[in-house]
Amino acid sequence: MTIKAVVFDFGGVYTGSPFTGVHGWHVERGLDPAVGLRAVFGPYDQDTDHPWHRLERGEVAIAAAAEQIKAVAAEEGLDIDLFDLLSSMGGGGGVRQDVIDLTLGLRARGYRTALITNNVAEFADGWRAMIPVDDLFELVVDSSQVGMRKPDPRIFRMALDQLGVAPDEAVFLDDARGNVDAARALGMHAVLVDDDHLPALDELQRLLDAEGAPPA
């Protein structure tokens, strides 16, 4: 089956991983990063009622989520100010221009392109200002707007339905292994993006070469 669409995550793909910054925030303060990440973000390879998950689904405002996360962290013996921690995420080390150029090239070659991002409503203006969203994607699925978040298979199906492609006609790139596994379980091709993102771009190109060019 020819690949017709390439679907991207935002943070960790178009930027360095925001979780790398969060890990460093804990280390600088002498905190256990594994415990802190679990307290702040919950089991990220699942979709639960953890405050961060509810925040990404647009069910609570960030101020309320910050209070709830502070309480969850306190149960682990940690004093975590979500807003201070989020400042460490920043742009994940800046925008990756090579990924932007790749996406523009894919559109020019006839591939459908889309973004599925687990994000926070209050962050929308900020992350959208970092990349030329309208030039890159014909479809943007923001978890905080649609009330679903990866790895829920429904958010992938929504994107595929709106693109008009079957799962095996799409390839998905994400820096979270749970999201990549969820896409594969649905029948999509999927590529895990690490801090060194270049091997993932090479893997994507190999997939596209193997499947052939999209129909004109």
Side-chain angles (χ1 to χ4, degrees), residues 15-17 31 63 91 95 104 109 129 139 143 199 209:
T15 71
S17 174
L31 305 176
V95 173
L104 294 172
R109 290 161 58 189
L139 172 67
S143 65
D209 291 343

Side-chain angles (χ1 to χ4, degrees), residues 8-12 14-15 18-19 41 44 51-62 65 86 89-90 115-131 133 137 140-150 155 174 179:
F8 298 87
D9 176 34
F10 175 69
Y14 287 92
T15 71
F19 294 106
F41 299 113
Y44 209 72
W52 185 264
H53 299 180
R54 297 187 65 221
L55 177 63
E56 288 189 332
R57 292 196 300 263
E59 297 170 1
V60 294
I62 192 168
L86 291 178
M89 294 173 70
L115 183 78
I116 304 177
T117 176
N118 283 356
N119 228 303
V120 175
E122 289 89 342
F123 295 170
D125 290 344
W127 73 259
R128 283 176 171 269
M130 296 175 69
I131 60 174
V133 174
F137 314 111
V140 173
V141 180
D142 183 326
S143 65
S144 67
Q145 295 180 348
V146 301
M148 297 177 282
R149 63 183 291 279
K150 300 171 293 186
I155 199 168
D174 198 295
N179 296 339

Side-chain angles (χ1 to χ4, degrees), residues 86-199:
L86 291 178
S87 68
S88 71
M89 294 173 70
V95 173
R96 292 169 172 165
Q97 186 62 44
D98 56 346
V99 183
I100 291 176
D101 294 341
L102 169 70
T103 311
L104 294 172
L106 291 173
R107 291 203 75 176
R109 290 161 58 189
Y111 288 99
R112 316 288 297 278
T113 57
L115 183 78
I116 304 177
T117 176
N118 283 356
N119 228 303
V120 175
E122 289 89 342
F123 295 170
D125 290 344
W127 73 259
R128 283 176 171 269
M130 296 175 69
I131 60 174
V133 174
D134 293 338
D135 294 334
L136 295 173
F137 314 111
E138 61 181 274
L139 172 67
V140 173
V141 180
D142 183 326
S143 65
S144 67
Q145 295 180 348
V146 301
M148 297 177 282
R149 63 183 291 279
K150 300 171 293 186
D152 186 336
R154 295 179 301 161
I155 199 168
F156 295 103
R157 292 194 188 100
M158 171 183 285
L160 294 171
D161 288 347
Q162 292 188 36
L163 289 171
V165 299
D168 61 355
E169 294 175 325
V171 57
F172 174 65
L173 291 88
D174 198 295
D175 67 318
R177 185 172 297 278
N179 296 339
V180 168
D181 290 344
R184 287 176 177 158
L186 199 61
M188 301 174 72
H189 305 271
V191 176
L192 180 66
V193 182
D194 291 319
D195 282 341
D196 177 3
H197 66 289
L198 296 180

